[in-house]
Amino acid sequence: QVQVAESGGGLVQEGGSLRLSCTVSGLSFEHYAMGWFRKVPGEEREPIACINKIAVSTYYADSVKGRFTISRINPENTVYLQLNSLKPEDTAMYYCAARLQPYCPNSPSENNYNFWGQGTQVTVSS
């Protein structure tokens, strides 16, 4: 049984930083691409970043480029999302997802991912 678990969210002031973690069990983590998404109520889930099996990130949303960094440590079955220079509009539930392919999809759509975590809330105060 595949399990995906995010952690690291919280309340932070504008301009602050957080590091989100996502640990995966039940699959050969090192073989698959991983993605981060976020969602606010009433809106579609937004793809944020993707990293392929060899730890090369191939996608960042324009809204987070230069501020967020995705990384992974395969022996620890963990993918990270470093959030810097946070803005109130970054407030959302952040989700981690596993894709049963080694490389990031051409389309960052959530439909290209197979397993999801429950999410971790990030709230940025102004």
Side-chain angles (χ1 to χ4, degrees):
Q1 181 180 359
V2 177
Q3 293 187 324
V4 179
E6 305 95 336
S7 61
L11 174 64
V12 63
Q13 288 190 331
E14 185 173 7
S17 298
L18 283 173
R19 188 177 77 158
L20 307 184
S21 301
C22 170
T23 301
V24 181
S25 61
L27 55 71
S28 297
F29 179 80
E30 68 275 15
H31 292 160
Y32 301 120
M34 297 293 299
W36 282 96
F37 292 73
R38 67 185 181 187
K39 188 179 185 308
V40 298
E43 296 185 11
E44 297 288 323
R45 191 149 48 183
E46 176 189 13
I48 296 299
C50 180
I51 189 166
N52 65 26
K53 69 171 186 175
I54 58 172
V56 175
S57 59
T58 61
Y59 174 79
Y60 285 103
D62 289 341
S63 56
V64 307
K65 279 181 183 176
R67 300 188 299 121
F68 291 9
T69 304
I70 189 171
S71 62
R72 67 190 292 164
I73 299 180
N74 285 343
E76 297 180 2
N77 285 14
T78 301
V79 60
Y80 298 97
L81 187 68
Q82 179 68 41
L83 289 63
N84 295 331
S85 302
L86 282 161
K87 306 174 182 179
E89 52 264 42
D90 293 319
T91 296
M93 185 72 79
Y94 283 71
Y95 296 90
C96 175
R99 167 174 162 81
L100 293 181
Q101 296 288 337
Y103 298 104
C104 295
N106 292 329
S107 166
S109 166
E110 62 179 283
N111 296 325
N112 291 312
Y113 291 81
N114 303 92
F115 298 101
W116 294 82
Q118 295 298 306
T120 186
Q121 177 69 36
V122 172
T123 302
V124 184
S125 63
S126 57

PDB file of all heavy atoms in Angstrom, residues 10-48:
ATOM      1  N   GLY A  10       2.552  25.468   8.243  1.00  0.00           N
ATOM      2  CA  GLY A  10       2.339  26.271   9.431  1.00  0.00           C
ATOM      3  C   GLY A  10       2.009  27.708   9.085  1.00  0.00           C
ATOM      4  O   GLY A  10       1.738  28.039   7.928  1.00  0.00           O
ATOM      5  N   LEU A  11       2.036  28.530  10.114  1.00  0.00           N
ATOM      6  CA  LEU A  11       1.763  29.964   9.972  1.00  0.00           C
ATOM      7  C   LEU A  11       3.087  30.718   9.960  1.00  0.00           C
ATOM      8  O   LEU A  11       3.925  30.523  10.850  1.00  0.00           O
ATOM      9  CB  LEU A  11       0.892  30.441  11.138  1.00  0.00           C
ATOM     10  CG  LEU A  11       0.620  31.940  11.230  1.00  0.00           C
ATOM     11  CD1 LEU A  11      -0.174  32.411  10.019  1.00  0.00           C
ATOM     12  CD2 LEU A  11      -0.126  32.252  12.524  1.00  0.00           C
ATOM     13  N   VAL A  12       3.260  31.569   8.964  1.00  0.00           N
ATOM     14  CA  VAL A  12       4.502  32.315   8.836  1.00  0.00           C
ATOM     15  C   VAL A  12       4.186  33.730   8.364  1.00  0.00           C
ATOM     16  O   VAL A  12       3.180  33.957   7.681  1.00  0.00           O
ATOM     17  CB  VAL A  12       5.460  31.597   7.858  1.00  0.00           C
ATOM     18  CG1 VAL A  12       4.867  31.526   6.463  1.00  0.00           C
ATOM     19  CG2 VAL A  12       6.832  32.223   7.857  1.00  0.00           C
ATOM     20  N   GLN A  13       5.023  34.660   8.729  1.00  0.00           N
ATOM     21  CA  GLN A  13       4.818  36.045   8.298  1.00  0.00           C
ATOM     22  C   GLN A  13       5.304  36.238   6.864  1.00  0.00           C
ATOM     23  O   GLN A  13       6.179  35.511   6.372  1.00  0.00           O
ATOM     24  CB  GLN A  13       5.553  36.998   9.229  1.00  0.00           C
ATOM     25  CG  GLN A  13       4.913  37.136  10.597  1.00  0.00           C
ATOM     26  CD  GLN A  13       5.526  38.270  11.406  1.00  0.00           C
ATOM     27  OE1 GLN A  13       6.698  38.599  11.237  1.00  0.00           O
ATOM     28  NE2 GLN A  13       4.734  38.874  12.276  1.00  0.00           N
ATOM     29  N   GLU A  14       4.741  37.230   6.226  1.00  0.00           N
ATOM     30  CA  GLU A  14       5.160  37.575   4.876  1.00  0.00           C
ATOM     31  C   GLU A  14       6.667  37.783   4.835  1.00  0.00           C
ATOM     32  O   GLU A  14       7.246  38.422   5.720  1.00  0.00           O
ATOM     33  CB  GLU A  14       4.440  38.850   4.422  1.00  0.00           C
ATOM     34  CG  GLU A  14       4.713  39.239   2.990  1.00  0.00           C
ATOM     35  CD  GLU A  14       3.853  40.409   2.535  1.00  0.00           C
ATOM     36  OE1 GLU A  14       3.144  40.992   3.368  1.00  0.00           O
ATOM     37  OE2 GLU A  14       3.886  40.727   1.336  1.00  0.00           O
ATOM     38  N   GLY A  15       7.302  37.207   3.819  1.00  0.00           N
ATOM     39  CA  GLY A  15       8.747  37.287   3.697  1.00  0.00           C
ATOM     40  C   GLY A  15       9.487  36.138   4.354  1.00  0.00           C
ATOM     41  O   GLY A  15      10.704  35.992   4.169  1.00  0.00           O
ATOM     42  N   GLY A  16       8.773  35.336   5.104  1.00  0.00           N
ATOM     43  CA  GLY A  16       9.388  34.224   5.809  1.00  0.00           C
ATOM     44  C   GLY A  16       9.581  32.999   4.943  1.00  0.00           C
ATOM     45  O   GLY A  16       9.314  33.020   3.725  1.00  0.00           O
ATOM     46  N   SER A  17      10.033  31.925   5.579  1.00  0.00           N
ATOM     47  CA  SER A  17      10.337  30.679   4.877  1.00  0.00           C
ATOM     48  C   SER A  17       9.759  29.479   5.614  1.00  0.00           C
ATOM     49  O   SER A  17       9.556  29.522   6.835  1.00  0.00           O
ATOM     50  CB  SER A  17      11.855  30.497   4.766  1.00  0.00           C
ATOM     51  OG  SER A  17      12.447  31.535   4.008  1.00  0.00           O
ATOM     52  N   LEU A  18       9.518  28.434   4.856  1.00  0.00           N
ATOM     53  CA  LEU A  18       9.122  27.141   5.395  1.00  0.00           C
ATOM     54  C   LEU A  18       9.760  26.063   4.528  1.00  0.00           C
ATOM     55  O   LEU A  18      10.041  26.290   3.344  1.00  0.00           O
ATOM     56  CB  LEU A  18       7.599  26.951   5.368  1.00  0.00           C
ATOM     57  CG  LEU A  18       6.748  27.654   6.406  1.00  0.00           C
ATOM     58  CD1 LEU A  18       5.266  27.462   6.065  1.00  0.00           C
ATOM     59  CD2 LEU A  18       7.040  27.156   7.811  1.00  0.00           C
ATOM     60  N   ARG A  19       9.953  24.898   5.108  1.00  0.00           N
ATOM     61  CA  ARG A  19      10.362  23.742   4.308  1.00  0.00           C
ATOM     62  C   ARG A  19       9.342  22.633   4.510  1.00  0.00           C
ATOM     63  O   ARG A  19       9.146  22.170   5.638  1.00  0.00           O
ATOM     64  CB  ARG A  19      11.755  23.237   4.676  1.00  0.00           C
ATOM     65  CG  ARG A  19      12.236  22.158   3.702  1.00  0.00           C
ATOM     66  CD  ARG A  19      13.634  21.669   3.981  1.00  0.00           C
ATOM     67  NE  ARG A  19      13.702  20.750   5.097  1.00  0.00           N
ATOM     68  CZ  ARG A  19      14.684  19.880   5.293  1.00  0.00           C
ATOM     69  NH1 ARG A  19      15.698  19.843   4.436  1.00  0.00           N
ATOM     70  NH2 ARG A  19      14.680  19.089   6.335  1.00  0.00           N
ATOM     71  N   LEU A  20       8.712  22.245   3.423  1.00  0.00           N
ATOM     72  CA  LEU A  20       7.755  21.150   3.460  1.00  0.00           C
ATOM     73  C   LEU A  20       8.476  19.848   3.129  1.00  0.00           C
ATOM     74  O   LEU A  20       9.361  19.819   2.281  1.00  0.00           O
ATOM     75  CB  LEU A  20       6.630  21.388   2.454  1.00  0.00           C
ATOM     76  CG  LEU A  20       5.906  22.726   2.547  1.00  0.00           C
ATOM     77  CD1 LEU A  20       4.756  22.769   1.539  1.00  0.00           C
ATOM     78  CD2 LEU A  20       5.413  23.004   3.952  1.00  0.00           C
ATOM     79  N   SER A  21       8.050  18.801   3.813  1.00  0.00           N
ATOM     80  CA  SER A  21       8.611  17.469   3.571  1.00  0.00           C
ATOM     81  C   SER A  21       7.502  16.529   3.127  1.00  0.00           C
ATOM     82  O   SER A  21       6.340  16.700   3.520  1.00  0.00           O
ATOM     83  CB  SER A  21       9.257  16.920   4.842  1.00  0.00           C
ATOM     84  OG  SER A  21      10.284  17.757   5.304  1.00  0.00           O
ATOM     85  N   CYS A  22       7.880  15.545   2.355  1.00  0.00           N
ATOM     86  CA  CYS A  22       6.925  14.529   1.907  1.00  0.00           C
ATOM     87  C   CYS A  22       7.648  13.190   1.895  1.00  0.00           C
ATOM     88  O   CYS A  22       8.631  13.023   1.162  1.00  0.00           O
ATOM     89  CB  CYS A  22       6.401  14.868   0.523  1.00  0.00           C
ATOM     90  SG  CYS A  22       5.427  13.564  -0.252  1.00  0.00           S
ATOM     91  N   THR A  23       7.147  12.268   2.686  1.00  0.00           N
ATOM     92  CA  THR A  23       7.752  10.941   2.772  1.00  0.00           C
ATOM     93  C   THR A  23       6.818   9.934   2.123  1.00  0.00           C
ATOM     94  O   THR A  23       5.607   9.959   2.353  1.00  0.00           O
ATOM     95  CB  THR A  23       8.005  10.561   4.232  1.00  0.00           C
ATOM     96  OG1 THR A  23       8.878  11.543   4.818  1.00  0.00           O
ATOM     97  CG2 THR A  23       8.677   9.213   4.329  1.00  0.00           C
ATOM     98  N   VAL A  24       7.398   9.046   1.329  1.00  0.00           N
ATOM     99  CA  VAL A  24       6.627   8.071   0.574  1.00  0.00           C
ATOM    100  C   VAL A  24       7.043   6.666   0.983  1.00  0.00           C
ATOM    101  O   VAL A  24       8.232   6.380   1.145  1.00  0.00           O
ATOM    102  CB  VAL A  24       6.842   8.258  -0.937  1.00  0.00           C
ATOM    103  CG1 VAL A  24       6.005   7.257  -1.728  1.00  0.00           C
ATOM    104  CG2 VAL A  24       6.489   9.679  -1.359  1.00  0.00           C
ATOM    105  N   SER A  25       6.071   5.791   1.132  1.00  0.00           N
ATOM    106  CA  SER A  25       6.343   4.387   1.415  1.00  0.00           C
ATOM    107  C   SER A  25       5.476   3.524   0.516  1.00  0.00           C
ATOM    108  O   SER A  25       4.451   3.980  -0.007  1.00  0.00           O
ATOM    109  CB  SER A  25       6.080   4.073   2.889  1.00  0.00           C
ATOM    110  OG  SER A  25       4.731   4.312   3.217  1.00  0.00           O
ATOM    111  N   GLY A  26       5.916   2.280   0.333  1.00  0.00           N
ATOM    112  CA  GLY A  26       5.124   1.345  -0.444  1.00  0.00           C
ATOM    113  C   GLY A  26       5.422   1.312  -1.933  1.00  0.00           C
ATOM    114  O   GLY A  26       4.736   0.615  -2.681  1.00  0.00           O
ATOM    115  N   LEU A  27       6.428   2.072  -2.368  1.00  0.00           N
ATOM    116  CA  LEU A  27       6.859   1.974  -3.752  1.00  0.00           C
ATOM    117  C   LEU A  27       8.367   2.274  -3.832  1.00  0.00           C
ATOM    118  O   LEU A  27       8.953   2.762  -2.871  1.00  0.00           O
ATOM    119  CB  LEU A  27       6.065   2.899  -4.669  1.00  0.00           C
ATOM    120  CG  LEU A  27       5.954   4.402  -4.391  1.00  0.00           C
ATOM    121  CD1 LEU A  27       7.259   5.138  -4.649  1.00  0.00           C
ATOM    122  CD2 LEU A  27       4.837   5.008  -5.223  1.00  0.00           C
ATOM    123  N   SER A  28       8.943   1.973  -4.991  1.00  0.00           N
ATOM    124  CA  SER A  28      10.377   2.217  -5.170  1.00  0.00           C
ATOM    125  C   SER A  28      10.584   3.685  -5.502  1.00  0.00           C
ATOM    126  O   SER A  28      10.658   4.091  -6.661  1.00  0.00           O
ATOM    127  CB  SER A  28      10.909   1.326  -6.287  1.00  0.00           C
ATOM    128  OG  SER A  28      10.776  -0.032  -5.949  1.00  0.00           O
ATOM    129  N   PHE A  29      10.675   4.461  -4.451  1.00  0.00           N
ATOM    130  CA  PHE A  29      10.685   5.925  -4.550  1.00  0.00           C
ATOM    131  C   PHE A  29      11.695   6.428  -5.576  1.00  0.00           C
ATOM    132  O   PHE A  29      11.405   7.358  -6.334  1.00  0.00           O
ATOM    133  CB  PHE A  29      10.991   6.501  -3.161  1.00  0.00           C
ATOM    134  CG  PHE A  29      11.064   7.989  -3.109  1.00  0.00           C
ATOM    135  CD1 PHE A  29       9.913   8.759  -3.045  1.00  0.00           C
ATOM    136  CD2 PHE A  29      12.295   8.639  -3.097  1.00  0.00           C
ATOM    137  CE1 PHE A  29       9.985  10.139  -2.985  1.00  0.00           C
ATOM    138  CE2 PHE A  29      12.381  10.018  -3.027  1.00  0.00           C
ATOM    139  CZ  PHE A  29      11.217  10.776  -2.976  1.00  0.00           C
ATOM    140  N   GLU A  30      12.860   5.831  -5.614  1.00  0.00           N
ATOM    141  CA  GLU A  30      13.950   6.343  -6.445  1.00  0.00           C
ATOM    142  C   GLU A  30      13.653   6.201  -7.941  1.00  0.00           C
ATOM    143  O   GLU A  30      14.384   6.768  -8.762  1.00  0.00           O
ATOM    144  CB  GLU A  30      15.263   5.636  -6.106  1.00  0.00           C
ATOM    145  CG  GLU A  30      15.310   4.166  -6.483  1.00  0.00           C
ATOM    146  CD  GLU A  30      14.720   3.249  -5.433  1.00  0.00           C
ATOM    147  OE1 GLU A  30      14.006   3.746  -4.531  1.00  0.00           O
ATOM    148  OE2 GLU A  30      14.963   2.033  -5.515  1.00  0.00           O
ATOM    149  N   HIS A  31      12.616   5.487  -8.290  1.00  0.00           N
ATOM    150  CA  HIS A  31      12.312   5.252  -9.700  1.00  0.00           C
ATOM    151  C   HIS A  31      11.309   6.248 -10.276  1.00  0.00           C
ATOM    152  O   HIS A  31      11.071   6.239 -11.493  1.00  0.00           O
ATOM    153  CB  HIS A  31      11.755   3.843  -9.883  1.00  0.00           C
ATOM    154  CG  HIS A  31      12.760   2.780  -9.624  1.00  0.00           C
ATOM    155  ND1 HIS A  31      12.410   1.472  -9.334  1.00  0.00           N
ATOM    156  CD2 HIS A  31      14.108   2.808  -9.600  1.00  0.00           C
ATOM    157  CE1 HIS A  31      13.502   0.758  -9.142  1.00  0.00           C
ATOM    158  NE2 HIS A  31      14.537   1.547  -9.292  1.00  0.00           N
ATOM    159  N   TYR A  32      10.733   7.097  -9.434  1.00  0.00           N
ATOM    160  CA  TYR A  32       9.583   7.868  -9.882  1.00  0.00           C
ATOM    161  C   TYR A  32       9.717   9.364  -9.656  1.00  0.00           C
ATOM    162  O   TYR A  32      10.370   9.814  -8.713  1.00  0.00           O
ATOM    163  CB  TYR A  32       8.336   7.363  -9.165  1.00  0.00           C
ATOM    164  CG  TYR A  32       8.081   5.893  -9.425  1.00  0.00           C
ATOM    165  CD1 TYR A  32       8.053   4.984  -8.379  1.00  0.00           C
ATOM    166  CD2 TYR A  32       7.885   5.431 -10.725  1.00  0.00           C
ATOM    167  CE1 TYR A  32       7.837   3.645  -8.613  1.00  0.00           C
ATOM    168  CE2 TYR A  32       7.670   4.087 -10.970  1.00  0.00           C
ATOM    169  CZ  TYR A  32       7.648   3.196  -9.908  1.00  0.00           C
ATOM    170  OH  TYR A  32       7.435   1.876 -10.160  1.00  0.00           O
ATOM    171  N   ALA A  33       9.050  10.103 -10.520  1.00  0.00           N
ATOM    172  CA  ALA A  33       8.980  11.549 -10.368  1.00  0.00           C
ATOM    173  C   ALA A  33       8.001  11.923  -9.257  1.00  0.00           C
ATOM    174  O   ALA A  33       7.069  11.180  -8.956  1.00  0.00           O
ATOM    175  CB  ALA A  33       8.536  12.183 -11.687  1.00  0.00           C
ATOM    176  N   MET A  34       8.243  13.096  -8.676  1.00  0.00           N
ATOM    177  CA  MET A  34       7.392  13.597  -7.595  1.00  0.00           C
ATOM    178  C   MET A  34       6.993  15.038  -7.884  1.00  0.00           C
ATOM    179  O   MET A  34       7.767  15.802  -8.479  1.00  0.00           O
ATOM    180  CB  MET A  34       8.139  13.556  -6.263  1.00  0.00           C
ATOM    181  CG  MET A  34       8.537  12.170  -5.789  1.00  0.00           C
ATOM    182  SD  MET A  34       7.097  11.152  -5.363  1.00  0.00           S
ATOM    183  CE  MET A  34       6.371  12.113  -4.039  1.00  0.00           C
ATOM    184  N   GLY A  35       5.810  15.397  -7.420  1.00  0.00           N
ATOM    185  CA  GLY A  35       5.340  16.756  -7.644  1.00  0.00           C
ATOM    186  C   GLY A  35       4.747  17.374  -6.394  1.00  0.00           C
ATOM    187  O   GLY A  35       4.358  16.670  -5.466  1.00  0.00           O
ATOM    188  N   TRP A  36       4.719  18.696  -6.398  1.00  0.00           N
ATOM    189  CA  TRP A  36       4.022  19.454  -5.363  1.00  0.00           C
ATOM    190  C   TRP A  36       2.930  20.290  -6.020  1.00  0.00           C
ATOM    191  O   TRP A  36       3.149  20.876  -7.098  1.00  0.00           O
ATOM    192  CB  TRP A  36       4.979  20.389  -4.613  1.00  0.00           C
ATOM    193  CG  TRP A  36       5.846  19.725  -3.595  1.00  0.00           C
ATOM    194  CD1 TRP A  36       7.120  19.288  -3.758  1.00  0.00           C
ATOM    195  CD2 TRP A  36       5.484  19.422  -2.244  1.00  0.00           C
ATOM    196  NE1 TRP A  36       7.583  18.739  -2.589  1.00  0.00           N
ATOM    197  CE2 TRP A  36       6.614  18.808  -1.636  1.00  0.00           C
ATOM    198  CE3 TRP A  36       4.341  19.622  -1.463  1.00  0.00           C
ATOM    199  CZ2 TRP A  36       6.619  18.383  -0.312  1.00  0.00           C
ATOM    200  CZ3 TRP A  36       4.346  19.196  -0.152  1.00  0.00           C
ATOM    201  CH2 TRP A  36       5.480  18.582   0.416  1.00  0.00           C
ATOM    202  N   PHE A  37       1.796  20.350  -5.349  1.00  0.00           N
ATOM    203  CA  PHE A  37       0.657  21.137  -5.793  1.00  0.00           C
ATOM    204  C   PHE A  37       0.147  21.946  -4.622  1.00  0.00           C
ATOM    205  O   PHE A  37       0.499  21.697  -3.477  1.00  0.00           O
ATOM    206  CB  PHE A  37      -0.475  20.200  -6.258  1.00  0.00           C
ATOM    207  CG  PHE A  37      -0.172  19.439  -7.519  1.00  0.00           C
ATOM    208  CD1 PHE A  37       0.732  18.392  -7.519  1.00  0.00           C
ATOM    209  CD2 PHE A  37      -0.809  19.766  -8.707  1.00  0.00           C
ATOM    210  CE1 PHE A  37       1.016  17.685  -8.678  1.00  0.00           C
ATOM    211  CE2 PHE A  37      -0.540  19.063  -9.872  1.00  0.00           C
ATOM    212  CZ  PHE A  37       0.370  18.029  -9.857  1.00  0.00           C
ATOM    213  N   ARG A  38      -0.718  22.916  -4.915  1.00  0.00           N
ATOM    214  CA  ARG A  38      -1.389  23.621  -3.840  1.00  0.00           C
ATOM    215  C   ARG A  38      -2.807  23.951  -4.251  1.00  0.00           C
ATOM    216  O   ARG A  38      -3.120  24.039  -5.438  1.00  0.00           O
ATOM    217  CB  ARG A  38      -0.634  24.891  -3.448  1.00  0.00           C
ATOM    218  CG  ARG A  38      -0.605  25.984  -4.502  1.00  0.00           C
ATOM    219  CD  ARG A  38       0.274  27.143  -4.028  1.00  0.00           C
ATOM    220  NE  ARG A  38       0.315  28.232  -4.998  1.00  0.00           N
ATOM    221  CZ  ARG A  38       1.120  29.290  -4.882  1.00  0.00           C
ATOM    222  NH1 ARG A  38       1.927  29.406  -3.838  1.00  0.00           N
ATOM    223  NH2 ARG A  38       1.089  30.235  -5.807  1.00  0.00           N
ATOM    224  N   LYS A  39      -3.650  24.156  -3.242  1.00  0.00           N
ATOM    225  CA  LYS A  39      -5.056  24.423  -3.513  1.00  0.00           C
ATOM    226  C   LYS A  39      -5.613  25.363  -2.461  1.00  0.00           C
ATOM    227  O   LYS A  39      -5.359  25.196  -1.269  1.00  0.00           O
ATOM    228  CB  LYS A  39      -5.864  23.117  -3.506  1.00  0.00           C
ATOM    229  CG  LYS A  39      -7.293  23.293  -3.973  1.00  0.00           C
ATOM    230  CD  LYS A  39      -8.030  21.990  -3.979  1.00  0.00           C
ATOM    231  CE  LYS A  39      -9.428  22.138  -4.575  1.00  0.00           C
ATOM    232  NZ  LYS A  39     -10.214  23.210  -3.965  1.00  0.00           N
ATOM    233  N   VAL A  40      -6.386  26.324  -2.954  1.00  0.00           N
ATOM    234  CA  VAL A  40      -7.164  27.176  -2.064  1.00  0.00           C
ATOM    235  C   VAL A  40      -8.625  26.875  -2.312  1.00  0.00           C
ATOM    236  O   VAL A  40      -9.006  26.450  -3.421  1.00  0.00           O
ATOM    237  CB  VAL A  40      -6.870  28.677  -2.281  1.00  0.00           C
ATOM    238  CG1 VAL A  40      -5.419  28.979  -1.969  1.00  0.00           C
ATOM    239  CG2 VAL A  40      -7.199  29.092  -3.707  1.00  0.00           C
ATOM    240  N   PRO A  41      -9.465  27.059  -1.318  1.00  0.00           N
ATOM    241  CA  PRO A  41     -10.892  26.745  -1.483  1.00  0.00           C
ATOM    242  C   PRO A  41     -11.497  27.482  -2.671  1.00  0.00           C
ATOM    243  O   PRO A  41     -11.241  28.671  -2.886  1.00  0.00           O
ATOM    244  CB  PRO A  41     -11.504  27.203  -0.160  1.00  0.00           C
ATOM    245  CG  PRO A  41     -10.398  27.107   0.823  1.00  0.00           C
ATOM    246  CD  PRO A  41      -9.158  27.489   0.050  1.00  0.00           C
ATOM    247  N   GLY A  42     -12.253  26.747  -3.460  1.00  0.00           N
ATOM    248  CA  GLY A  42     -12.944  27.350  -4.588  1.00  0.00           C
ATOM    249  C   GLY A  42     -12.125  27.439  -5.859  1.00  0.00           C
ATOM    250  O   GLY A  42     -12.632  27.918  -6.878  1.00  0.00           O
ATOM    251  N   GLU A  43     -10.885  26.993  -5.783  1.00  0.00           N
ATOM    252  CA  GLU A  43     -10.039  27.050  -6.973  1.00  0.00           C
ATOM    253  C   GLU A  43      -9.520  25.661  -7.320  1.00  0.00           C
ATOM    254  O   GLU A  43      -9.576  24.733  -6.510  1.00  0.00           O
ATOM    255  CB  GLU A  43      -8.859  28.008  -6.746  1.00  0.00           C
ATOM    256  CG  GLU A  43      -9.279  29.449  -6.524  1.00  0.00           C
ATOM    257  CD  GLU A  43      -8.101  30.397  -6.416  1.00  0.00           C
ATOM    258  OE1 GLU A  43      -6.965  29.973  -6.715  1.00  0.00           O
ATOM    259  OE2 GLU A  43      -8.321  31.550  -6.033  1.00  0.00           O
ATOM    260  N   GLU A  44      -9.009  25.533  -8.542  1.00  0.00           N
ATOM    261  CA  GLU A  44      -8.415  24.274  -8.977  1.00  0.00           C
ATOM    262  C   GLU A  44      -7.081  24.057  -8.255  1.00  0.00           C
ATOM    263  O   GLU A  44      -6.422  25.003  -7.828  1.00  0.00           O
ATOM    264  CB  GLU A  44      -8.169  24.309 -10.490  1.00  0.00           C
ATOM    265  CG  GLU A  44      -9.422  24.451 -11.337  1.00  0.00           C
ATOM    266  CD  GLU A  44     -10.238  23.171 -11.321  1.00  0.00           C
ATOM    267  OE1 GLU A  44      -9.643  22.092 -11.324  1.00  0.00           O
ATOM    268  OE2 GLU A  44     -11.484  23.283 -11.289  1.00  0.00           O
ATOM    269  N   ARG A  45      -6.702  22.803  -8.152  1.00  0.00           N
ATOM    270  CA  ARG A  45      -5.391  22.488  -7.583  1.00  0.00           C
ATOM    271  C   ARG A  45      -4.313  22.926  -8.568  1.00  0.00           C
ATOM    272  O   ARG A  45      -4.371  22.567  -9.749  1.00  0.00           O
ATOM    273  CB  ARG A  45      -5.306  20.986  -7.280  1.00  0.00           C
ATOM    274  CG  ARG A  45      -4.115  20.611  -6.457  1.00  0.00           C
ATOM    275  CD  ARG A  45      -4.361  19.417  -5.545  1.00  0.00           C
ATOM    276  NE  ARG A  45      -4.988  18.276  -6.174  1.00  0.00           N
ATOM    277  CZ  ARG A  45      -5.312  17.173  -5.484  1.00  0.00           C
ATOM    278  NH1 ARG A  45      -5.076  17.097  -4.188  1.00  0.00           N
ATOM    279  NH2 ARG A  45      -5.875  16.161  -6.114  1.00  0.00           N
ATOM    280  N   GLU A  46      -3.370  23.681  -8.077  1.00  0.00           N
ATOM    281  CA  GLU A  46      -2.353  24.304  -8.922  1.00  0.00           C
ATOM    282  C   GLU A  46      -1.038  23.524  -8.845  1.00  0.00           C
ATOM    283  O   GLU A  46      -0.511  23.323  -7.745  1.00  0.00           O
ATOM    284  CB  GLU A  46      -2.105  25.750  -8.477  1.00  0.00           C
ATOM    285  CG  GLU A  46      -1.011  26.466  -9.229  1.00  0.00           C
ATOM    286  CD  GLU A  46      -0.644  27.812  -8.608  1.00  0.00           C
ATOM    287  OE1 GLU A  46      -1.057  28.086  -7.463  1.00  0.00           O
ATOM    288  OE2 GLU A  46       0.083  28.583  -9.264  1.00  0.00           O
ATOM    289  N   PRO A  47      -0.478  23.095  -9.967  1.00  0.00           N
ATOM    290  CA  PRO A  47       0.842  22.463  -9.921  1.00  0.00           C
ATOM    291  C   PRO A  47       1.909  23.497  -9.593  1.00  0.00           C
ATOM    292  O   PRO A  47       1.911  24.606 -10.142  1.00  0.00           O
ATOM    293  CB  PRO A  47       1.018  21.898 -11.330  1.00  0.00           C
ATOM    294  CG  PRO A  47       0.095  22.691 -12.188  1.00  0.00           C
ATOM    295  CD  PRO A  47      -1.030  23.133 -11.335  1.00  0.00           C
ATOM    296  N   ILE A  48       2.818  23.128  -8.694  1.00  0.00           N
ATOM    297  CA  ILE A  48       3.857  24.037  -8.249  1.00  0.00           C
ATOM    298  C   ILE A  48       5.215  23.658  -8.793  1.00  0.00           C
ATOM    299  O   ILE A  48       5.954  24.482  -9.296  1.00  0.00           O
ATOM    300  CB  ILE A  48       3.904  24.072  -6.704  1.00  0.00           C
ATOM    301  CG1 ILE A  48       2.606  24.629  -6.152  1.00  0.00           C
ATOM    302  CG2 ILE A  48       5.088  24.897  -6.212  1.00  0.00           C
ATOM    303  CD1 ILE A  48       2.324  26.039  -6.594  1.00  0.00           C
TER     304      ILE A  48
END
